[in-house]
Amino acid sequence: MKTLSKRLSLILLALCVAVCAGALAACKDKSNDGSNAYTVTVQTSDNTPAVGVRVTLGKGNAQFDTQTTGADGKVSFDVPDDTYTVKLSKLPENFTVADNADLTLSPTKRNLTVTLAEAFHYTVRIVGKDGNVLPATVTENVTVGVCTLDSNCLSPVALNTADGIAKLYVAKNSYHVQILGLPDDWTYDKDVNGYYAGADFLKDSDETEMTIKVYPKSTVNVLQANGLTQYEDKDAHRLVGIPLLEDAVVYKSADGIYRYQIGEQQQANDPQVVVRLTTENPTSRYQTSGVPIIYAEKKTNNTAKYVFKATPDADKNDPFKGDTYVDYRTLLRGFGAYDITIGTDRNPIFTEPAQKATHYYAKYVNSDGVYPLNDELKTFLQLYCQNNSMLIEFNVEALKGSEWLFPCYYYEEIPAENPALIEQL
């Protein structure tokens, strides 16, 4: 009997163990189905895990748990099965939660990935004059800043030298843009206040990106006069203008002198061409009257140009070559810019500087204000016409290609029957 009782006790014990084991297994399976099974992954817009983000799980006004993302951007919650809302805080700098982001968990959606959106920003891209990103040797110290239209400047941000882009995370507003930290011999198109001379960012515009070209500073070659001699007066002669409406032939003869072809063929006695520099040209040849061409600023409100671009073709698209300019003012008149003051009538007063060059064309003209045409003066006249087309308005139309001849003349002997010293125009 004792043996049978002992056997029955062992059987009952085994059954209890089996039942309890099944119950524990069932409990474990239930736990896997309903709790400790919610995961939230937070990443930035470039799929990089967002570390240190606080993730709070809630329902209604109740908060159940808060965890912080680790290196993988993940957190897990051990909570009963239910539908929950997710709230994110302590986001990475310059990132935000998109307005349309899905922030819910439920028994049918246990894993949630939230991709953060970049906060509102303006993008400025810095390139060379060829449109390509410049090497870090040029941009390594560059920062880009914005200033409100009333000149309240915000902190500039460093340029990413790899892609030439600066992102400015500022409130939407109207801003000027400025580039800081360029090498001393580099620049960009800017206004008198140092702001980018192109379009501003505007509050009411959807434009949030711009590209600004930077380039080496220009080289200005100030031309100087050397080897000039005084041009003699021509007594008993009068000046005759080179025709502007005819196909005038001005050529350089074998002796290096520019001559005007009188007849059908070039002759040894064709007259020498001279340029009227310091005496006013008549309105029949030059509309802006009252002042000689080398002093035209005084009649054109300082708009006449004497500094011309002369960048070699090989340098035009080279991002490390600046533009080249030639300045003819010192060559022609012995000084560069006028000293300008405003008179009591609010009109500008142009004063020549006291210091002048030793040699210049205006110093060596004859009493008629002319000097013989040479290569230097011809190039100047052609550039002057190309760059001052708004100032040179002829009363009569000049043939195309003859415009530069407007201040060019030749001397003709005064006939005995017409002794008056007048110009034939």
Side-chain angles (χ1 to χ4, degrees), residues 358-374:
T358 303
H359 304 285
Y360 50 94
Y361 278 101
K363 183 176 180 178
Y364 296 104
V365 297
N366 67 6
S367 60
D368 292 322
V370 301
Y371 197 89
L373 179 67
N374 56 22

Side-chain angles (χ1 to χ4, degrees), residues 77-89:
F77 295 96
D78 181 8
V79 291
D81 275 359
D82 207 337
T83 298
Y84 298 97
T85 58
V86 173
K87 181 180 180 181
L88 306 180
S89 58

Side-chain angles (χ1 to χ4, degrees), residues 129-390:
K129 64 180 183 180
D130 59 354
N132 295 321
V133 177
L134 290 163
T137 52
V138 176
T139 59
E140 59 186 349
N141 296 316
V142 168
T143 60
V144 179
V146 292
C147 302
T148 60
L149 301 190
D150 57 358
S151 298
N152 178 27
C153 294
L154 309 182
S155 296
V157 300
L159 186 75
N160 184 331
T161 57
D163 57 14
I165 288 176
K167 294 182 178 181
L168 298 107
Y169 295 89
V170 295
K172 189 174 179 62
N173 204 342
S174 295
Y175 296 104
H176 300 302
V177 178
Q178 58 182 350
I179 303 174
L180 308 170
L182 282 171
D184 291 341
D185 54 349
W186 286 71
T187 189
Y188 62 101
D189 293 340
K190 49 188 172 182
D191 61 20
V192 295
N193 296 311
Y195 301 130
Y196 174 52
D200 295 322
F201 287 126
L202 299 177
K203 185 176 182 179
D204 297 331
S205 172
D206 293 331
E207 293 293 332
T208 59
E209 299 182 3
M210 71 169 59
T211 297
I212 301 177
K213 290 185 176 182
V214 300
Y215 46 85
K217 290 181 179 179
S218 302
T219 300
V220 179
N221 296 324
V222 179
L223 301 183
Q224 304 287 335
N226 294 300
L228 299 181
T229 57
Q230 182 67 43
Y231 187 51
E232 73 278 2
D233 287 339
K234 296 288 186 180
D235 295 334
H237 285 72
R238 62 184 173 191
L239 287 172
V240 180
I242 302 293
L244 300 176
L245 294 175
E246 302 174 11
D247 191 10
V249 177
V250 172
Y251 66 96
K252 191 175 183 179
S253 59
D255 56 4
I257 294 175
Y258 277 94
R259 299 181 183 277
Y260 168 57
Q261 181 178 316
I262 295 291
E264 294 183 358
Q265 295 182 342
Q266 297 175 7
Q267 303 289 335
N269 62 346
D270 282 339
Q272 184 175 23
V273 179
V274 294
V275 182
R276 196 170 195 173
L277 295 172
T278 64
T279 304
E280 174 190 348
N281 287 283
T283 55
S284 59
R285 300 181 65 81
Y286 183 47
Q287 184 63 38
T288 304
S289 61
V291 65
I293 60 170
I294 65 173
Y295 305 114
E297 297 105 307
K298 293 190 289 186
K299 278 289 185 177
T300 62
N301 197 25
N302 208 32
T303 58
K305 296 181 178 66
Y306 301 90
V307 183
F308 311 122
K309 184 181 286 190
T311 307
D313 289 339
D315 293 349
K316 289 180 179 178
N317 293 318
D318 188 333
F320 299 98
K321 296 288 184 65
D323 286 323
T324 301
Y325 291 82
V326 290
D327 185 344
Y328 279 85
R329 293 174 297 183
T330 301
L331 174 80
L332 295 168
R333 65 195 190 195
F335 65 94
Y338 279 98
D339 294 329
I340 302 176
T341 56
I342 302 300
T344 55
D345 58 358
R346 303 190 66 80
N347 289 320
I349 299 173
F350 293 82
T351 305
E352 295 184 10
Q355 189 69 30
K356 290 187 178 181
T358 303
H359 304 285
Y360 50 94
Y361 278 101
K363 183 176 180 178
Y364 296 104
V365 297
N366 67 6
S367 60
D368 292 322
V370 301
Y371 197 89
L373 179 67
N374 56 22
D375 293 341
E376 228 168 22
L377 292 176
K378 180 181 178 181
T379 300
F380 161 71
L381 292 176
Q382 290 173 333
L383 291 171
Y384 185 88
C385 288
Q386 293 169 14
N387 290 274
N388 292 285
S389 58
M390 296 299 292

Side-chain angles (χ1 to χ4, degrees), residues 45-88:
S45 52
D46 60 357
N47 298 324
T48 300
V51 180
V53 176
R54 294 189 65 183
V55 183
T56 300
L57 207 63
K59 183 176 179 63
N61 294 326
Q63 293 185 358
F64 287 84
D65 194 5
T66 297
Q67 295 189 40
T68 300
T69 58
D72 59 357
K74 296 179 182 292
V75 293
S76 296
F77 295 96
D78 181 8
V79 291
D81 275 359
D82 207 337
T83 298
Y84 298 97
T85 58
V86 173
K87 181 180 180 181
L88 306 180

